[in-house]
Amino acid sequence: MIINNDRVLLPLTFNTEKLIQEAKKLCNENFVYYNVIQLRAPAHIVDSSIPFPTPAKDYADGSWTKWLNTDSLEKSPYLKSIIEKFQKNTTVTLVRLLRLAPYAEVKEHTDPTLGLTVEKSVIRITIPILNNDKMIFNLNKTPVKMKPGECWYLDLTKPHQITNNCNEERINLTIDMIPNDWLKNLIKKSQ
């Protein structure tokens, strides 16, 4: 199955007030440019008693390690319930809150392993939490108009860039998962 759109709004929405409430509890420290809060991570990072996994030939699909919820996710029941919805249907790997400071910019780049067209990859679902019209996410040189609580598939193998043109931080929940038939069909039907 080939997905041609570089951006797809999925038919899933989430409670913005609950997202903001839990994200703000986790985002209480100051930062300068970009900040990441791990919610699900490789097992050896979450629990230091777990040995580092043996080297893998390919790290792109997330199968090189086991993945565990962090304490931050465990104390965030609404965020955890969102992750569990996806886990019922596919394997969820890395989950993070991505924070971009006021008036900061992420330069244009690509993520070569984050697209459905890449064999042995994961894809990233993005759920904006704090986002407004002054926060611009360009994908393939055109803005993606994402609203808080929406759920998006973005083909991040394509060039993308982010600009925060306002005095509040931008926060997105990102969920990396292994694309299976359920996820591919969800994306295809949403186009």
Side-chain angles (χ1 to χ4, degrees):
M1 172 185 312
I2 297 176
I3 307 291
N4 291 323
N5 290 2
D6 65 0
R7 67 202 72 199
V8 179
L9 176 60
L10 301 177
L12 306 168
T13 55
F14 301 97
N15 184 307
T16 305
E17 287 180 29
K18 288 182 179 180
L19 287 167
I20 291 170
Q21 181 183 31
E22 288 189 3
K24 288 209 173 206
K25 282 182 184 175
L26 298 174
C27 298
N28 56 8
E29 77 277 356
N30 292 324
F31 68 104
V32 175
Y33 161 64
Y34 196 74
N35 180 255
V36 174
I37 297 175
Q38 300 275 9
L39 299 177
R40 192 165 166 76
H44 67 280
I45 292 174
V46 177
D47 180 350
S48 61
S49 70
I50 296 173
F52 193 89
T54 56
K57 290 181 182 178
D58 188 351
Y59 290 87
D61 72 355
S63 64
W64 57 277
T65 188
K66 291 184 179 177
W67 298 83
L68 295 176
N69 294 347
T70 66
D71 289 341
S72 293
L73 183 59
E74 291 298 334
K75 63 185 177 186
S76 305
Y78 187 65
L79 293 172
K80 186 176 178 186
S81 73
I82 292 170
I83 304 316
E84 288 171 345
K85 285 180 186 182
F86 286 104
Q87 286 177 316
K88 288 178 184 176
N89 295 291
T90 191
T91 301
V92 174
T93 58
L94 184 66
V95 179
R96 303 177 298 172
L97 290 176
L98 302 182
R99 304 169 68 195
L100 184 62
Y103 303 106
E105 178 181 11
V106 175
K107 300 288 186 194
E108 186 175 79
H109 66 285
T110 61
D111 294 301
T113 61
L114 291 177
L116 281 173
T117 58
V118 179
E119 188 176 337
K120 287 196 74 161
S121 70
V122 295
I123 65 157
R124 179 165 293 159
I125 298 297
T126 299
I127 301 170
I129 297 175
L130 283 180
N131 198 359
N132 64 49
D133 291 341
K134 293 182 179 179
M135 299 176 195
I136 301 165
F137 189 106
N138 283 313
L139 179 60
N140 273 330
K141 309 271 188 223
T142 59
V144 181
K145 306 263 186 203
M146 295 187 283
K147 294 181 181 133
E150 293 180 338
C151 185
W152 288 84
Y153 162 71
L154 305 171
D155 183 352
L156 299 176
T157 65
K158 309 293 186 212
H160 53 284
Q161 173 269 338
I162 309 154
T163 305
N164 185 358
N165 292 314
C166 71
N167 62 358
E168 69 177 344
E169 68 177 291
R170 184 216 68 170
I171 303 174
N172 283 347
L173 171 64
T174 62
I175 307 167
D176 291 3
M177 55 192 86
I178 295 175
N180 60 7
D181 288 342
W182 173 82
L183 193 52
K184 290 175 186 176
N185 286 329
L186 177 67
I187 293 168
K188 184 173 183 173
K189 288 177 185 175
S190 303
Q191 291 182 321

